[in-house]
Amino acid sequence: MPDPTLSLPRLGILGGGQLAKMLLQEAGKLSLDVTVLDPSPDCPAAPLAKHVVVGGYHDAAAIRDLAGHCDVLTYDLEHVDTAELAALEAQGLKVFPSPASMAQVQDKLVQRQVMEKAGLPIPAYAQLTGAREAAFAAFGYPLVQKTRRAGYDGKGVAVIKSAADLTKALPPEGCLLERCVDLEAELAVMVVRAQDGEMRSFPAVRMVMDPRANLLDALQVPAGLTPALEAEAKALAERVAEAFKIVGVVGVELFLDKAGKLLVNELAPRPHNSGHYTIEACASSQYSQHLRAILGLPLGDPRLLSPAATVNLLGGPEGVGPTRVRGLAEALAVPGVHIHLYGKAETRPFRKMGHLTALAETPQAALERALKARDAIRILPEQA
Ligand SMILES: Nc1ncnc2c1ncn2[C@@H]1O[C@H](COP(=O)(O)OP(=O)(O)OP(=O)(O)O)[C@@H](O)[C@H]1O
Ligand SMILES: [Mg+2]
Protein backbone atom coordinates (compact mmCIF):
# COMPACT_ATOMS: atom_id res chain seq x y z
CA MET A 1 0.00 0.00 0.00
CA PRO A 2 1.43 3.43 -0.86
CA ASP A 3 1.68 5.78 2.10
CA PRO A 4 -1.33 8.10 1.70
CA THR A 5 0.57 11.01 3.25
CA LEU A 6 3.03 10.92 0.35
CA SER A 7 0.30 12.01 -2.01
CA LEU A 8 -0.30 15.25 -0.09
CA PRO A 9 1.14 18.39 -1.65
CA ARG A 10 4.45 19.79 -0.43
CA LEU A 11 3.96 23.05 1.46
CA GLY A 12 6.08 26.21 1.41
CA ILE A 13 5.79 28.99 3.99
CA LEU A 14 7.11 32.47 3.33
CA GLY A 15 8.30 33.56 6.79
CA GLY A 16 9.43 31.38 9.67
CA GLY A 17 7.97 33.17 12.69
CA GLN A 18 5.60 31.87 15.34
CA LEU A 19 2.62 31.53 13.00
CA ALA A 20 4.69 29.32 10.71
CA LYS A 21 5.88 27.35 13.74
CA MET A 22 2.34 26.67 14.93
CA LEU A 23 1.25 25.79 11.37
CA LEU A 24 4.14 23.31 11.27
CA GLN A 25 3.07 21.79 14.58
CA GLU A 26 -0.26 20.99 12.91
CA ALA A 27 1.37 19.94 9.62
CA GLY A 28 3.52 17.49 11.58
CA LYS A 29 0.40 15.48 12.45
CA LEU A 30 0.08 14.64 8.74
CA SER A 31 3.85 14.30 8.25
CA LEU A 32 3.69 16.96 5.56
CA ASP A 33 6.81 17.98 3.68
CA VAL A 34 7.24 21.67 4.56
CA THR A 35 9.88 24.22 3.51
CA VAL A 36 10.24 27.60 5.18
CA LEU A 37 11.91 30.75 3.88
CA ASP A 38 13.30 33.13 6.47
CA PRO A 39 16.30 35.46 6.76
CA SER A 40 17.28 33.74 10.00
CA PRO A 41 18.38 30.06 9.95
CA ASP A 42 17.31 29.78 13.59
CA CYS A 43 13.85 31.30 13.20
CA PRO A 44 11.05 29.79 15.36
CA ALA A 45 9.81 27.49 12.55
CA ALA A 46 13.23 26.16 11.49
CA PRO A 47 13.50 23.16 13.87
CA LEU A 48 10.16 21.78 12.62
CA ALA A 49 10.63 22.33 8.88
CA LYS A 50 12.02 19.74 6.49
CA HIS A 51 14.00 22.40 4.59
CA VAL A 52 14.88 26.00 5.37
CA VAL A 53 15.70 28.45 2.59
CA VAL A 54 17.69 31.27 4.14
CA GLY A 55 16.91 34.56 2.44
CA GLY A 56 15.03 37.82 2.66
CA TYR A 57 11.25 37.87 2.39
CA HIS A 58 11.57 40.03 -0.75
CA ASP A 59 14.59 38.23 -2.25
CA ALA A 60 13.31 37.01 -5.64
CA ALA A 61 15.92 34.23 -5.96
CA ALA A 62 15.10 32.91 -2.47
CA ILE A 63 11.36 33.00 -3.19
CA ARG A 64 11.94 30.99 -6.39
CA ASP A 65 14.07 28.54 -4.43
CA LEU A 66 11.17 28.13 -1.96
CA ALA A 67 8.73 27.69 -4.86
CA GLY A 68 10.94 24.89 -6.23
CA HIS A 69 10.45 22.98 -2.97
CA CYS A 70 6.65 23.16 -2.83
CA ASP A 71 3.32 22.64 -4.59
CA VAL A 72 1.35 25.04 -2.37
CA LEU A 73 2.71 28.25 -0.92
CA THR A 74 1.38 30.27 2.03
CA TYR A 75 2.74 32.95 4.37
CA ASP A 76 3.24 33.88 7.98
CA LEU A 77 3.44 37.60 7.22
CA GLU A 78 1.35 40.07 5.27
CA HIS A 79 3.90 42.35 3.66
CA VAL A 80 4.96 39.91 0.97
CA ASP A 81 6.15 40.66 -2.56
CA THR A 82 2.87 40.16 -4.42
CA ALA A 83 4.35 40.82 -7.90
CA GLU A 84 6.91 38.02 -7.51
CA LEU A 85 4.26 35.66 -6.09
CA ALA A 86 1.81 36.52 -8.89
CA ALA A 87 4.48 35.56 -11.43
CA LEU A 88 4.92 32.17 -9.72
CA GLU A 89 1.15 31.71 -9.54
CA ALA A 90 0.94 32.38 -13.29
CA GLN A 91 3.46 29.56 -13.78
CA GLY A 92 1.11 27.15 -11.98
CA LEU A 93 2.17 27.31 -8.34
CA LYS A 94 -0.77 27.35 -5.93
CA VAL A 95 -0.46 30.42 -3.70
CA PHE A 96 -3.01 30.93 -0.90
CA PRO A 97 -4.32 33.47 -0.12
CA SER A 98 -3.82 34.64 -3.72
CA PRO A 99 -1.31 37.43 -4.42
CA ALA A 100 -4.27 39.50 -5.73
CA SER A 101 -6.07 39.19 -2.36
CA MET A 102 -2.85 40.02 -0.50
CA ALA A 103 -2.27 43.14 -2.62
CA GLN A 104 -5.75 44.43 -1.74
CA VAL A 105 -5.19 43.80 1.97
CA GLN A 106 -1.68 45.29 2.11
CA ASP A 107 -2.95 48.79 1.34
CA LYS A 108 -5.41 49.90 4.05
CA LEU A 109 -6.97 52.41 1.65
CA VAL A 110 -7.66 49.74 -0.99
CA GLN A 111 -8.85 47.45 1.84
CA ARG A 112 -11.50 50.05 2.71
CA GLN A 113 -12.48 50.61 -0.92
CA VAL A 114 -13.08 46.87 -1.37
CA MET A 115 -15.17 46.74 1.82
CA GLU A 116 -17.16 49.84 0.84
CA LYS A 117 -17.90 48.33 -2.58
CA ALA A 118 -19.11 45.15 -0.87
CA GLY A 119 -21.50 47.25 1.24
CA LEU A 120 -19.74 46.38 4.50
CA PRO A 121 -20.19 48.74 7.47
CA ILE A 122 -16.87 50.54 8.11
CA PRO A 123 -15.93 53.84 9.76
CA ALA A 124 -16.04 56.83 7.38
CA TYR A 125 -12.61 57.36 5.79
CA ALA A 126 -10.73 59.54 3.34
CA GLN A 127 -7.31 59.59 1.75
CA LEU A 128 -5.05 62.19 3.40
CA THR A 129 -3.96 64.77 0.86
CA GLY A 130 -2.26 68.11 1.37
CA ALA A 131 -1.27 69.64 4.70
CA ARG A 132 -2.41 67.75 7.78
CA GLU A 133 -3.88 70.65 9.71
CA ALA A 134 -6.26 71.66 6.93
CA ALA A 135 -7.06 68.03 6.00
CA PHE A 136 -7.83 67.11 9.62
CA ALA A 137 -10.06 70.15 10.11
CA ALA A 138 -11.91 69.40 6.86
CA PHE A 139 -12.42 65.73 7.86
CA GLY A 140 -13.46 66.70 11.41
CA TYR A 141 -12.26 65.61 14.85
CA PRO A 142 -11.91 63.16 16.53
CA LEU A 143 -10.17 61.15 13.83
CA VAL A 144 -7.65 58.34 13.44
CA GLN A 145 -4.69 58.75 11.10
CA LYS A 146 -3.33 55.48 9.68
CA THR A 147 -0.47 54.64 7.36
CA ARG A 148 -1.74 52.82 4.28
CA ARG A 149 1.05 50.24 4.31
CA ALA A 150 3.26 48.29 6.70
CA GLY A 151 1.48 49.15 9.96
CA TYR A 152 1.29 46.47 12.65
CA ASP A 153 0.69 46.20 16.38
CA GLY A 154 -0.73 49.71 16.48
CA LYS A 155 2.40 51.25 14.89
CA GLY A 156 1.18 53.49 12.11
CA VAL A 157 -2.00 54.46 13.98
CA ALA A 158 -2.51 57.85 15.68
CA VAL A 159 -5.71 58.92 17.44
CA ILE A 160 -6.17 62.67 16.99
CA LYS A 161 -8.91 63.95 19.30
CA SER A 162 -8.61 67.65 18.42
CA ALA A 163 -6.32 70.22 16.81
CA ALA A 164 -4.35 70.19 20.08
CA ASP A 165 -3.21 66.61 19.24
CA LEU A 166 -1.44 67.68 16.06
CA THR A 167 1.92 66.89 17.66
CA LYS A 168 0.87 63.21 17.84
CA ALA A 169 0.17 63.07 14.10
CA LEU A 170 2.16 60.74 11.83
CA PRO A 171 4.09 62.06 8.81
CA PRO A 172 1.49 62.88 6.12
CA GLU A 173 2.77 60.69 3.27
CA GLY A 174 0.76 57.60 2.36
CA CYS A 175 -1.94 57.94 5.01
CA LEU A 176 -5.70 57.74 5.38
CA LEU A 177 -8.03 59.36 7.87
CA GLU A 178 -10.80 57.52 9.63
CA ARG A 179 -13.67 58.51 11.91
CA CYS A 180 -12.78 57.69 15.52
CA VAL A 181 -15.34 55.15 16.75
CA ASP A 182 -16.77 55.47 20.27
CA LEU A 183 -15.86 51.92 21.28
CA GLU A 184 -17.97 49.67 23.46
CA ALA A 185 -15.78 46.66 22.63
CA GLU A 186 -13.25 45.30 20.16
CA LEU A 187 -14.02 41.86 18.76
CA ALA A 188 -12.41 39.48 16.30
CA VAL A 189 -13.75 36.55 14.30
CA MET A 190 -11.57 33.98 12.54
CA VAL A 191 -13.08 32.64 9.33
CA VAL A 192 -11.83 29.84 7.13
CA ARG A 193 -12.68 29.92 3.42
CA ALA A 194 -12.03 26.94 1.16
CA GLN A 195 -10.99 27.04 -2.51
CA ASP A 196 -14.60 26.42 -3.57
CA GLY A 197 -15.84 29.31 -1.40
CA GLU A 198 -17.23 27.24 1.48
CA MET A 199 -16.82 29.12 4.78
CA ARG A 200 -16.89 28.35 8.49
CA SER A 201 -16.40 30.81 11.30
CA PHE A 202 -15.05 30.41 14.79
CA PRO A 203 -16.76 32.04 17.79
CA ALA A 204 -16.20 35.78 18.25
CA VAL A 205 -13.52 36.77 20.76
CA ARG A 206 -13.47 39.90 22.89
CA MET A 207 -10.29 41.86 23.47
CA VAL A 208 -10.04 42.82 27.12
CA MET A 209 -7.87 45.22 29.04
CA ASP A 210 -5.71 43.85 31.78
CA PRO A 211 -7.34 45.95 34.54
CA ARG A 212 -4.04 46.28 36.41
CA ALA A 213 -1.75 47.20 33.53
CA ASN A 214 -4.31 48.95 31.30
CA LEU A 215 -2.95 46.90 28.42
CA LEU A 216 -5.23 45.74 25.63
CA ASP A 217 -3.72 42.33 25.41
CA ALA A 218 -6.03 39.59 26.64
CA LEU A 219 -8.68 37.77 24.62
CA GLN A 220 -11.78 36.10 26.00
CA VAL A 221 -14.14 33.64 24.39
CA PRO A 222 -17.12 33.41 24.35
CA ALA A 223 -17.26 37.18 23.89
CA GLY A 224 -20.48 37.50 25.93
CA LEU A 225 -22.53 38.81 23.00
CA THR A 226 -26.25 38.24 22.52
CA PRO A 227 -26.87 35.35 20.09
CA ALA A 228 -28.07 37.89 17.50
CA LEU A 229 -24.89 39.99 17.78
CA GLU A 230 -22.68 36.88 17.72
CA ALA A 231 -24.43 35.76 14.52
CA GLU A 232 -24.07 39.23 13.02
CA ALA A 233 -20.33 39.33 13.83
CA LYS A 234 -19.83 35.95 12.12
CA ALA A 235 -21.90 36.98 9.12
CA LEU A 236 -19.91 40.20 8.71
CA ALA A 237 -16.60 38.37 8.99
CA GLU A 238 -17.72 35.88 6.32
CA ARG A 239 -18.74 38.74 4.02
CA VAL A 240 -15.22 40.17 4.47
CA ALA A 241 -13.58 36.81 3.63
CA GLU A 242 -15.82 36.60 0.55
CA ALA A 243 -15.17 40.20 -0.59
CA PHE A 244 -11.41 39.55 -0.67
CA LYS A 245 -11.79 35.95 -1.96
CA ILE A 246 -9.48 34.75 0.82
CA VAL A 247 -8.46 31.08 0.72
CA GLY A 248 -7.31 29.91 4.13
CA VAL A 249 -7.99 31.52 7.48
CA VAL A 250 -8.52 35.23 7.95
CA GLY A 251 -8.80 37.24 11.16
CA VAL A 252 -11.46 39.93 10.95
CA GLU A 253 -11.20 42.70 13.57
CA LEU A 254 -14.52 44.35 14.45
CA PHE A 255 -15.58 47.38 16.46
CA LEU A 256 -18.78 47.38 18.52
CA ASP A 257 -19.75 51.02 19.04
CA LYS A 258 -21.66 52.48 21.98
CA ALA A 259 -24.90 52.40 19.93
CA GLY A 260 -24.55 48.60 19.55
CA LYS A 261 -23.52 48.73 15.88
CA LEU A 262 -20.80 46.47 14.46
CA LEU A 263 -18.18 47.94 12.09
CA VAL A 264 -15.30 46.19 10.35
CA ASN A 265 -11.88 47.57 11.35
CA GLU A 266 -9.46 45.47 9.31
CA LEU A 267 -8.50 41.96 8.27
CA ALA A 268 -5.39 39.82 8.59
CA PRO A 269 -5.39 37.10 5.90
CA ARG A 270 -3.55 34.42 7.87
CA PRO A 271 -3.66 32.67 11.23
CA HIS A 272 -4.01 35.49 13.74
CA ASN A 273 -3.19 36.29 17.32
CA SER A 274 -6.90 36.35 18.13
CA GLY A 275 -7.20 32.75 16.93
CA HIS A 276 -4.49 31.14 19.06
CA TYR A 277 -7.14 30.03 21.55
CA THR A 278 -8.54 27.65 18.90
CA ILE A 279 -5.53 25.33 19.36
CA GLU A 280 -6.79 24.15 22.73
CA ALA A 281 -10.39 25.40 22.85
CA CYS A 282 -11.90 24.36 19.50
CA ALA A 283 -12.61 21.04 17.82
CA SER A 284 -10.41 22.11 14.89
CA SER A 285 -7.80 24.87 15.32
CA GLN A 286 -7.16 27.84 13.02
CA TYR A 287 -3.96 26.10 11.89
CA SER A 288 -5.76 22.88 11.05
CA GLN A 289 -8.39 24.86 9.15
CA HIS A 290 -5.75 26.82 7.23
CA LEU A 291 -4.03 23.62 6.13
CA ARG A 292 -7.33 22.01 5.17
CA ALA A 293 -8.33 25.03 3.07
CA ILE A 294 -5.05 25.53 1.23
CA LEU A 295 -4.47 21.81 0.62
CA GLY A 296 -8.00 21.29 -0.70
CA LEU A 297 -9.08 19.03 2.18
CA PRO A 298 -12.52 19.16 3.88
CA LEU A 299 -12.92 22.00 6.38
CA GLY A 300 -12.97 21.09 10.08
CA ASP A 301 -15.32 21.78 12.97
CA PRO A 302 -14.76 25.26 14.50
CA ARG A 303 -16.99 24.49 17.52
CA LEU A 304 -15.86 25.84 20.91
CA LEU A 305 -15.17 23.04 23.40
CA SER A 306 -14.45 25.26 26.42
CA PRO A 307 -14.43 28.93 27.44
CA ALA A 308 -10.89 30.26 27.12
CA ALA A 309 -8.65 33.30 27.55
CA THR A 310 -5.36 34.04 25.80
CA VAL A 311 -2.60 36.46 26.77
CA ASN A 312 0.65 37.30 25.02
CA LEU A 313 3.97 36.64 26.74
CA LEU A 314 6.17 39.64 26.01
CA GLY A 315 9.85 40.24 26.56
CA GLY A 316 10.40 42.02 29.89
CA PRO A 317 11.65 45.61 30.14
CA GLU A 318 15.14 44.49 31.30
CA GLY A 319 16.64 44.75 27.81
CA VAL A 320 17.96 42.83 24.82
CA GLY A 321 19.84 39.54 25.00
CA PRO A 322 19.69 35.75 24.81
CA THR A 323 16.27 34.61 26.04
CA ARG A 324 15.79 33.24 29.54
CA VAL A 325 12.39 32.23 30.92
CA ARG A 326 11.65 32.18 34.62
CA GLY A 327 8.58 30.96 36.51
CA LEU A 328 7.48 28.32 34.03
CA ALA A 329 6.81 25.70 36.71
CA GLU A 330 4.67 28.07 38.73
CA ALA A 331 2.69 29.07 35.63
CA LEU A 332 2.16 25.45 34.58
CA ALA A 333 0.81 24.70 38.06
CA VAL A 334 -2.24 26.87 37.27
CA PRO A 335 -4.96 24.45 36.13
CA GLY A 336 -6.09 24.55 32.52
CA VAL A 337 -3.07 26.51 31.29
CA HIS A 338 -1.30 25.79 27.97
CA ILE A 339 1.96 27.66 27.38
CA HIS A 340 3.48 28.37 23.97
CA LEU A 341 7.04 29.70 23.85
CA TYR A 342 8.02 30.60 20.31
CA GLY A 343 11.72 29.80 20.68
CA LYS A 344 13.02 33.24 19.74
CA ALA A 345 16.73 33.27 20.55
CA GLU A 346 16.78 36.93 21.52
CA THR A 347 14.40 38.76 23.84
CA ARG A 348 13.66 42.48 23.56
CA PRO A 349 11.35 44.66 25.65
CA PHE A 350 7.74 43.97 24.62
CA ARG A 351 8.71 41.53 21.83
CA LYS A 352 6.07 38.78 21.38
CA MET A 353 7.92 35.78 22.83
CA GLY A 354 4.97 33.45 23.35
CA HIS A 355 1.38 33.25 24.48
CA LEU A 356 -0.68 31.17 26.84
CA THR A 357 -4.26 29.99 26.75
CA ALA A 358 -6.23 29.05 29.86
CA LEU A 359 -9.39 26.97 29.76
CA ALA A 360 -12.03 27.15 32.51
CA GLU A 361 -15.77 26.86 33.17
CA THR A 362 -16.38 30.54 32.34
CA PRO A 363 -14.48 33.16 30.31
CA GLN A 364 -13.95 35.19 33.51
CA ALA A 365 -12.40 32.23 35.31
CA ALA A 366 -10.26 31.53 32.24
CA LEU A 367 -9.01 35.14 32.23
CA GLU A 368 -8.14 34.95 35.93
CA ARG A 369 -6.14 31.77 35.31
CA ALA A 370 -4.41 33.26 32.27
CA LEU A 371 -3.38 36.42 34.16
CA LYS A 372 -2.21 34.38 37.17
CA ALA A 373 -0.03 32.20 34.95
CA ARG A 374 1.29 35.19 33.03
CA ASP A 375 2.20 36.98 36.26
CA ALA A 376 4.37 34.01 37.22
CA ILE A 377 6.39 34.14 33.99
CA ARG A 378 9.26 36.49 33.30
CA ILE A 379 11.10 36.57 29.99
CA LEU A 380 14.36 38.44 30.24
CA PRO A 381 17.86 38.61 28.78
CA GLU A 382 20.42 36.21 30.20
CA GLN A 383 22.49 38.92 31.90
CA ALA A 384 19.59 40.52 33.82
N1 LIG B 1 -11.44 54.19 13.73
C1 LIG B 1 -11.04 53.87 14.97
N2 LIG B 1 -11.75 54.30 16.05
C2 LIG B 1 -11.35 54.00 17.31
N3 LIG B 1 -10.24 53.29 17.60
C3 LIG B 1 -9.49 52.84 16.58
C4 LIG B 1 -9.85 53.11 15.21
N4 LIG B 1 -8.92 52.53 14.42
C5 LIG B 1 -8.04 51.95 15.24
N5 LIG B 1 -8.35 52.12 16.54
C6 LIG B 1 -7.63 51.59 17.71
O1 LIG B 1 -6.26 51.35 17.35
C7 LIG B 1 -5.96 49.95 17.39
C8 LIG B 1 -5.01 49.56 16.27
O2 LIG B 1 -5.59 49.90 15.02
P1 LIG B 1 -5.51 48.94 13.76
O3 LIG B 1 -6.07 47.61 14.12
O4 LIG B 1 -6.13 49.64 12.62
O5 LIG B 1 -3.95 48.93 13.54
P2 LIG B 1 -2.84 47.83 13.35
O6 LIG B 1 -1.54 48.51 13.46
O7 LIG B 1 -3.10 47.09 12.13
O8 LIG B 1 -3.04 46.98 14.62
P3 LIG B 1 -2.76 45.47 14.99
O9 LIG B 1 -1.60 44.98 14.21
O10 LIG B 1 -2.49 45.62 16.46
O11 LIG B 1 -4.04 44.78 14.72
C9 LIG B 1 -7.32 49.27 17.30
O12 LIG B 1 -7.26 47.98 17.84
C10 LIG B 1 -8.18 50.24 18.10
O13 LIG B 1 -7.99 50.06 19.49
MG1 LIG C 1 -5.58 45.76 14.20
Side-chain angles (χ1 to χ4, degrees):
M1 272 284 282
D3 179 348
T5 59
L6 293 179
S7 64
L8 286 172
R10 295 166 308 156
L11 182 64
I13 311 177
L14 185 48
Q18 62 263 23
L19 301 177
K21 179 187 176 190
M22 289 182 268
L23 192 61
L24 275 157
Q25 286 173 330
E26 188 61 34
K29 294 180 186 171
L30 295 174
S31 302
L32 290 182
D33 178 321
V34 187
T35 303
V36 164
L37 183 161
D38 198 89
S40 166
D42 54 20
C43 62
L48 287 87
K50 185 154 180 193
H51 313 280
V52 180
V53 174
V54 178
Y57 305 129
H58 294 272
D59 173 343
I63 295 171
R64 281 197 294 272
D65 190 2
L66 173 69
H69 280 90
C70 65
D71 308 301
V72 177
L73 194 149
T74 191
Y75 337 86
D76 103 328
L77 65 160
E78 263 156 74
H79 299 290
V80 292
D81 184 337
T82 53
E84 186 62 35
L85 293 166
L88 290 166
E89 190 185 42
Q91 289 163 25
L93 182 68
K94 289 187 173 167
V95 184
F96 297 125
S98 74
S101 302
M102 295 303 279
Q104 289 182 325
V105 176
Q106 282 175 347
D107 182 337
K108 285 189 175 183
L109 183 64
V110 177
Q111 218 185 85
R112 277 153 186 75
Q113 288 162 345
V114 172
M115 292 199 277
E116 189 171 41
K117 201 166 155 220
L120 287 155
I122 56 173
Y125 71 95
Q127 185 171 359
L128 171 58
T129 49
R132 284 172 297 182
E133 201 165 356
F136 289 2
F139 187 76
Y141 298 101
L143 60 84
V144 184
Q145 182 190 357
K146 297 187 178 184
T147 53
R148 288 172 60 176
R149 290 179 174 274
Y152 67 100
D153 287 348
K155 296 180 184 71
V157 174
V159 178
I160 314 285
K161 295 236 161 75
S162 69
D165 278 350
L166 225 53
T167 49
K168 293 191 204 157
L170 306 168
E173 298 78 26
C175 283
L176 63 93
L177 304 179
E178 196 171 83
R179 184 61 52 231
C180 187
V181 178
D182 198 6
L183 293 175
E184 172 67 26
E186 290 193 54
L187 309 167
V189 175
M190 296 301 308
V191 178
V192 60
R193 187 173 176 279
Q195 293 170 44
D196 65 2
E198 183 191 351
M199 287 188 276
R200 297 198 184 166
S201 37
F202 286 99
V205 301
R206 178 186 291 257
M207 329 272 178
V208 289
M209 298 272 212
D210 175 347
R212 291 154 306 174
N214 208 29
L215 287 173
L216 185 81
D217 62 352
L219 298 163
Q220 255 182 337
V221 58
L225 306 175
T226 60
L229 210 53
E230 173 87 20
E232 194 188 326
K234 285 182 176 177
L236 271 182
E238 291 186 12
R239 282 173 60 198
V240 171
E242 185 62 40
F244 290 87
K245 298 272 180 270
I246 300 293
V247 171
V249 291
V250 48
V252 181
E253 298 181 10
L254 302 167
F255 293 142
L256 178 63
D257 74 10
K258 288 270 199 295
K261 187 171 159 50
L262 286 171
L263 298 165
V264 181
N265 171 27
E266 60 168 355
L267 61 152
R270 52 175 170 74
H272 191 243
N273 216 50
S274 63
H276 290 337
Y277 79 91
T278 62
I279 299 173
E280 288 89 11
C282 290
S284 191
S285 76
Q286 64 169 346
Y287 299 100
S288 166
Q289 299 279 31
H290 190 65
L291 285 179
R292 288 161 178 260
I294 67 176
L295 299 178
L297 300 168
L299 298 182
D301 179 1
R303 184 168 42 103
L304 189 69
L305 302 175
S306 165
T310 296
V311 291
N312 286 325
L313 299 173
L314 304 180
E318 291 82 0
V320 178
T323 304
R324 284 294 166 271
V325 181
R326 292 201 191 136
L328 212 47
E330 201 186 320
L332 283 166
V334 179
V337 165
H338 300 264
I339 298 178
H340 296 254
L341 294 171
Y342 301 148
K344 295 182 184 176
E346 184 178 88
T347 178
R348 290 195 290 273
F350 309 111
R351 186 177 191 197
K352 265 185 212 160
M353 301 298 289
H355 76 267
L356 63 85
T357 296
L359 306 181
E361 295 296 310
T362 65
Q364 288 70 25
L367 181 63
E368 277 162 31
R369 285 178 170 180
L371 294 177
K372 188 173 176 199
R374 184 182 65 182
D375 283 352
I377 295 179
R378 281 181 65 206
I379 302 179
L380 64 177
E382 202 166 47
Q383 306 84 348

